[in-house]
Amino acid sequence: MLDTDLFFVDDAMGQRRDFNVQSEPDVGESDGEDDIQSRMGDEDETQEDEEEEEEGGSDDEESEAQIPTASKQKGPTWTDPDDPALQVSLAGDKRGRKLREAVSEDVIGGRDYERRLRRQFEKINPTPDWAATARKKLHPAKAKRRRPSTSSASESDEDNELPDVLADARGILQQGRKANTIPQGILSIERLRDANLAARSEGEVKAVHFHPSPEVPVLMVASTDRRLRLFNINGHTNPHLQTVHIPELPVTTAMFHPGGASILLTGPRPFYYTYDLMSGTALRSPRGLWGTTFTKTGVAQDSSMEICAFDPSGEVLAVAGRSGQIHLVDWRAGQGQVVGSVKMNAAVKSLAWSHDGSGQLMSLGENSEVYVWDIGERRCVNRWKDDGGFGSRLMAGDRVGKYLSIGSRTGLVNVYGSEGVSSLASNSPKPLKTLGNITTAITSLRFNHDSSLVAIASNVKKDQMRMIHLPTLTAFSNWPTSSTPLGHVTSVDFSARSEYIAIGNSRGRVLLYQLKDFSTQ
């Protein structure tokens, strides 16, 4: 057998080059050197011809783009010569059946099999936007071929570029950034893998809360099994980070501190727990938190801390007590210390801080009255009643200070503008709109980061949740649907930039959805 039948050189261009090597023992070294020099001379001549072709092609750039030289193309680094002779059966393989183009098709060649595998992979994993953009920058001639500099060519180029400029009213420099608006009517949303699938809760989910910093993609989940779980939300695997068991406290309220360094856990007990994210330790507050400042007998009468809220700076924690008492806890030292209180004429049902820079606290009573408090002076600066008085029970404000929403036991939600938040408003502000999309008691109200969406939900019946478009105060028609597996929704929260929305239910699941209008900003 000759050496030519045994060896060949596979170059980087994917072209097979066979060398005519003869196994003759009489051939001397001088003949081999002459052969090599002649080949090098041929390669030099070929290279000079290619350079002349490139210089000549500069005058006609269109022909150069259509007929690229071999030196500009890069083929596969490995080519198996046995692929054309390979025969693959598609009908006998369960995974290969999806590659068939016809039901009766069975055996195909190796090259065709490779082509179909590539097509199936690109179908499942499309080219990302960043890769397409990088390719356009790396090969601008392929993205848009130049034409000769004639008057007709320049006019055609202007016709191609002009619609791109006039398609948007924004400036040219701002076209790369997406507008912070979301259209009404149809919500672009996609369901992802459950956020807590790696460590599902064994009881009802009481609270879900995203970390306040967009650089920390962490979701906190608290459930009735007295466990706090942390997950890294990446939209794919959502790995489980840690579980904290607190047997002494049935957690009903859990939230991140506005600074993001700790988590506050409260429930129907006169004490609370704080979990420090840096050290990974959970600390319980001492009993008798309220001391003797607000009681006559010297014994703490408030036995619950379920209703509480941090101010935007995280320096003050407001806690609802009995008989309309609202205790103010100084949180700057790391451990809570009661420094004052205010009192309304009815039992407190909900608390919310103003985010308009005034530092005011709003409290909702069981008689549907809203009190606006000046915390610095410890006095009520405004007081008004919720429109309609439908048995108000839950109040929430947005992160910008534009809206205030109040949910009732009948399912109606009043949405107020900035006048409902400001202390200078009238004694009877009128809501912008009363939403009647839910017919049972409202238990969850949550605004997104830019006040364009609000989620309202009820845990009384299954699938009682709606997403509201705030600029138009209308509900989205395409989501949720009758087939959306929401269950009894117990808690809702948006991520720091509204890329995700997490929905906890009574079965211990935390559904995770991606909002596409915010994920690409």
Side-chain angles (χ1 to χ4, degrees):
M1 182 177 294
L2 299 179
D3 291 344
T4 56
D5 298 330
L6 294 176
F7 303 100
F8 72 92
V9 178
D10 189 3
D11 61 356
M13 304 301 297
Q15 300 175 354
R16 179 172 175 176
R17 182 183 302 172
D18 295 330
F19 290 86
N20 296 325
V21 181
Q22 298 180 358
S23 58
E24 297 181 1
D26 298 334
V27 177
E29 297 180 356
S30 59
D31 297 338
E33 292 178 357
D34 296 339
D35 190 13
I36 294 174
Q37 291 178 0
S38 62
R39 291 176 184 174
M40 293 177 62
D42 295 339
E43 292 178 357
D44 294 339
E45 293 177 359
T46 305
Q47 184 175 3
E48 291 177 358
D49 295 339
E50 291 179 354
E51 292 177 356
E52 291 177 358
E53 291 177 1
E54 292 179 358
E55 293 176 357
S58 60
D59 297 333
D60 192 357
E61 296 178 359
E62 182 178 4
S63 62
E64 181 184 5
Q66 294 178 355
I67 308 177
T69 59
S71 61
K72 292 185 179 181
Q73 292 181 346
K74 185 177 180 181
T77 58
W78 173 258
T79 301
D80 192 348
D82 295 333
D83 285 348
L86 184 66
Q87 298 292 324
V88 181
S89 175
L90 300 181
D93 186 9
K94 183 181 297 185
R95 296 183 178 181
R97 293 173 186 173
K98 63 181 71 175
L99 303 177
R100 295 182 299 179
E101 296 179 353
V103 180
S104 59
E105 189 176 16
D106 186 7
V107 180
I108 61 175
R111 295 296 186 188
D112 194 13
Y113 181 65
E114 180 184 0
R115 178 182 60 82
R116 298 190 187 187
L117 285 177
R118 291 182 182 274
R119 183 180 61 186
Q120 182 69 13
F121 179 82
E122 293 175 356
K123 181 180 178 181
I124 300 176
N125 303 285
T127 304
D129 296 338
W130 63 266
T133 304
R135 289 176 182 175
K136 290 181 180 179
K137 293 181 179 180
L138 187 61
H139 305 288
K142 293 182 180 180
K144 184 177 180 180
R145 297 174 181 174
R146 296 181 180 179
R147 295 186 178 183
S149 57
T150 61
S151 59
S152 60
S154 61
E155 290 176 0
S156 62
D157 290 342
E158 291 178 359
D159 294 340
N160 293 334
E161 296 177 358
L162 189 60
D164 297 335
V165 177
L166 301 180
D168 200 334
R170 297 170 294 163
I172 298 177
L173 297 178
Q174 297 179 352
Q175 289 184 2
R177 295 176 293 180
K178 195 173 182 179
N180 295 326
T181 58
I182 184 170
Q184 69 175 109
I186 303 299
L187 183 63
S188 181
I189 190 171
E190 179 183 2
R191 186 184 177 187
L192 305 177
R193 184 178 183 180
D194 286 359
N196 66 337
L197 188 61
R200 184 168 295 178
S201 303
E202 298 178 0
E204 176 183 342
V205 175
K206 284 295 184 180
V208 293
H209 196 197
F210 280 94
H211 195 276
S213 174
E215 287 77 19
V216 184
V218 174
L219 175 67
M220 175 266 299
V221 179
S223 54
T224 55
D225 56 1
R226 305 195 180 192
R227 285 173 171 82
L228 174 72
R229 296 174 175 87
L230 300 177
F231 300 89
N232 182 18
I233 302 301
N234 55 16
H236 300 284
T237 58
N238 305 322
H240 174 226
L241 299 178
Q242 194 171 7
T243 298
V244 182
H245 184 207
I246 306 176
E248 298 180 358
L249 179 65
V251 179
T252 58
T253 304
M255 66 187 77
F256 279 99
H257 185 270
S262 61
I263 299 176
L264 174 65
L265 306 171
T266 63
R269 298 290 186 271
F271 57 90
Y272 61 87
Y273 269 84
T274 56
Y275 179 73
D276 187 87
L277 296 177
M278 299 299 294
S279 61
T281 57
L283 300 176
R284 198 191 78 172
S285 65
R287 288 185 178 271
L289 173 66
W290 317 119
T292 59
T293 307
F294 311 108
T295 59
K296 296 181 181 179
T297 60
V299 180
Q301 295 180 357
D302 297 314
S303 60
S304 175
M305 296 182 62
E306 295 181 88
I307 303 175
C308 58
F310 278 110
D311 73 329
S313 64
E315 297 180 355
V316 180
L317 175 68
V319 181
R322 294 183 178 182
S323 303
Q325 290 278 356
I326 302 174
H327 305 290
L328 304 176
V329 182
D330 186 4
W331 210 263
R332 288 174 293 184
Q335 290 293 332
Q337 180 180 1
V338 179
V339 295
S341 69
V342 292
K343 187 179 185 304
M344 57 190 306
N345 297 333
V348 182
K349 302 297 293 183
S350 184
L351 296 172
W353 289 87
S354 174
H355 287 73
D356 58 358
S358 61
Q360 295 174 344
L361 174 66
M362 293 171 288
S363 60
L364 175 65
E366 63 180 2
N367 57 355
S368 301
E369 281 191 330
V370 178
Y371 287 66
V372 182
W373 302 95
D374 187 333
I375 298 304
E377 299 181 1
R378 306 287 196 271
R379 67 183 182 91
C380 178
V381 295
N382 194 18
R383 176 180 171 185
W384 49 275
K385 191 168 185 178
D386 184 26
D387 187 69
F390 304 111
S392 306
R393 57 174 295 172
L394 184 61
M395 176 175 59
D398 64 344
R399 306 179 191 179
V400 184
K402 296 172 55 178
Y403 299 99
L404 177 70
S405 60
I406 299 178
S408 65
R409 289 192 294 266
T410 59
L412 298 177
V413 178
N414 288 331
V415 180
Y416 295 89
S418 58
E419 64 173 3
V421 182
S422 175
S423 61
L424 302 178
S426 61
N427 294 332
S428 58
K430 296 297 181 181
L432 300 177
K433 188 176 182 180
T434 300
L435 305 174
N437 304 90
I438 295 180
T439 58
T440 54
I442 302 297
T443 57
S444 297
L445 280 172
R446 184 68 66 177
F447 289 85
N448 75 323
H449 77 286
D450 63 351
S451 302
S452 60
L453 298 174
V454 61
I456 58 177
S458 173
N459 62 1
V460 179
K461 293 175 61 178
K462 291 182 62 177
D463 304 331
Q464 293 294 297
M465 178 180 173
R466 295 294 181 271
M467 193 80 78
I468 306 299
H469 183 253
L470 278 174
T472 59
L473 294 175
T474 56
F476 290 95
S477 59
N478 66 317
W479 191 88
T481 64
S482 58
S483 59
T484 305
L486 296 176
H488 292 80
V489 178
T490 57
S491 183
V492 181
D493 192 30
F494 292 92
S495 61
R497 288 293 177 263
S498 301
E499 303 96 337
Y500 304 105
I501 178 173
I503 305 170
N505 59 26
S506 59
R507 295 190 297 172
R509 298 177 59 185
V510 179
L511 306 179
L512 185 65
Y513 290 86
Q514 182 183 19
L515 300 176
K516 297 184 178 180
D517 292 288
F518 298 99
S519 59
T520 58
Q521 291 183 5

